[in-house]
Amino acid sequence: MSHVLDELSSQPECWERAAALAVEHADALPAAGERVAIVGCGTSFFMAQAVAVLREESGQGETDAFAASEFPYGRTYDRVIALTRSGTTTEVLELLGKVRGKARTLAITGDPKTPIMDAADDVVVMEFADEKSVVQTRFATTALTLLRAHLGLHSDVVVADARTALAEPLPEGLVECTQFTFLGRGWSVGLAQEAGLKMREASLSWTEAYPAMEYRHGPISITTEGTATLMFGEAPEGLAEQVGATGGMWVAGGLDPLAELVRAQRLAVAVADLKGLDPDLPRHLTRSVILDEG
């Protein structure tokens, strides 16, 4: 078994631990009414997008998400949250150094033996969710669950859905598709983006991701026999039928969107296996991007 398959299979248990951790670290997590920015790189950026939408939609306060390299330093925030599995990513460490003293900073990480421990005002360590694989699965979803639970939006149903996503077989013919499009709405747009990234990293697949209502505005033109369109959450009316008319495969999202991401992670590993690839060691990637100072 690959590291990534073992790690993604442990997500229900990790999410349960993260929900308990949210209570333990409530004071370090953003209070209702604070203006918050959530930052990350790669997978963590997509998790930041999802959390930002969840927090705003729940009425907890204005929340923005940024790739760490694109942070708008001219804006004012009460709190800046950095998601970083490795705790060593150059862009994140530089950002925290620049905003320290201007906003309360919080880092959520998987490794307590890294520079991130001194870079932020507060740190939440989820060592139990850290990973050996270069490809992120459980750390990302567990960090999201920590913040989702803090917002009062996590439940046992989410964990049960994740177990279902791990147990049910993938739809027949899905692994053999040659192109995959992931669609989301609201907070699940970030999850759709992350699903596409997982497929590219682990299986070198041609993938795209869009807000579901945008799919009709051009991207559906690539859909045909041998392609798959996967929905995270409730689909816009008539979209499934439109995809079906192209000859492409439509995969509805009947589970909690975060559990649907678990299913997409499984798909990425399955496609990698079909192609004879090692999903733990994606091409040209490392666990963390550390840039030379020069």
Side-chain angles (χ1 to χ4, degrees):
M1 179 182 291
S2 62
H3 291 310
V4 68
L5 185 57
D6 180 54
E7 289 158 357
L8 73 84
S9 299
S10 70
Q11 287 174 107
E13 293 74 27
C14 287
W15 296 359
E16 288 176 329
R17 294 182 68 173
L21 206 61
V23 177
E24 179 182 339
H25 290 278
D27 290 343
L29 297 170
E34 287 186 336
R35 190 164 189 255
V36 173
I38 310 175
V39 302
C41 300
T43 288
S44 292
F45 172 45
F46 297 138
M47 296 299 101
Q49 289 179 324
V51 174
V53 175
L54 284 172
R55 188 169 185 268
E56 282 213 4
E57 287 185 344
S58 65
Q60 302 255 354
E62 184 176 343
T63 313
D64 295 322
F66 302 102
S69 58
E70 299 296 323
F71 186 79
Y73 291 99
R75 295 190 186 180
T76 302
Y77 292 96
D78 299 307
R79 194 178 303 254
V80 175
I81 302 173
L83 307 181
T84 171
R85 176 182 66 169
S86 69
T88 59
T89 302
T90 297
E91 298 102 298
V92 171
L93 292 172
E94 288 181 351
L95 182 153
L96 290 174
K98 289 179 180 178
V99 303
R100 198 165 199 175
K102 301 176 183 177
R104 187 77 185 175
T105 56
L106 164 67
I108 300 174
T109 189
D111 189 345
K113 301 180 182 69
T114 61
I116 201 70
M117 301 300 293
D118 297 320
D121 297 316
D122 301 300
V123 181
V124 175
V125 178
M126 300 189 302
E127 202 167 3
F128 61 88
D130 201 0
E131 296 156 326
K132 295 180 179 179
S133 177
V134 170
V135 173
Q136 277 202 60
T137 55
R138 71 182 181 191
F139 177 80
T141 63
T142 302
L144 190 153
T145 298
L146 173 80
L147 293 165
R148 195 180 182 191
H150 178 66
L151 296 172
L153 301 175
H154 175 76
S155 72
D156 293 340
V157 173
V158 180
V159 175
D161 278 0
R163 291 196 169 101
T164 298
L166 289 166
E168 287 185 347
L170 296 171
E172 186 176 353
L174 181 60
V175 175
E176 291 75 23
C177 287
T178 58
Q179 188 275 341
F180 303 87
T181 298
F182 298 93
L183 304 178
R185 304 183 81 175
W187 75 286
S188 68
V189 172
L191 303 186
Q193 293 282 359
E194 168 59 10
L197 179 62
K198 284 288 91 67
M199 294 292 296
R200 291 191 291 274
E201 290 177 334
S203 68
L204 303 181
S205 295
W206 172 20
T207 67
E208 300 181 353
Y210 303 97
M213 290 296 289
E214 286 296 304
Y215 189 52
R216 296 183 177 100
H217 294 271
I220 195 172
S221 64
I222 64 164
T223 307
T224 187
E225 293 185 12
T227 71
T229 303
L230 300 90
M231 184 70 213
F232 283 30
E234 185 177 354
E237 185 176 353
L239 187 55
E241 291 76 16
Q242 286 180 275
V243 170
T246 70
M249 177 183 290
W250 172 263
V251 181
L255 303 173
D256 181 88
L258 194 57
E260 293 293 350
L261 179 56
V262 174
R263 196 195 307 270
Q265 294 167 348
R266 287 183 56 213
L267 174 62
V269 173
V271 175
D273 289 343
L274 184 66
K275 294 180 176 181
L277 300 171
D278 182 351
D280 286 334
L281 298 172
R283 191 170 64 183
H284 310 313
L285 297 179
T286 57
R287 172 177 163 88
S288 174
V289 176
I290 303 174
L291 304 176
D292 293 333
E293 291 185 3

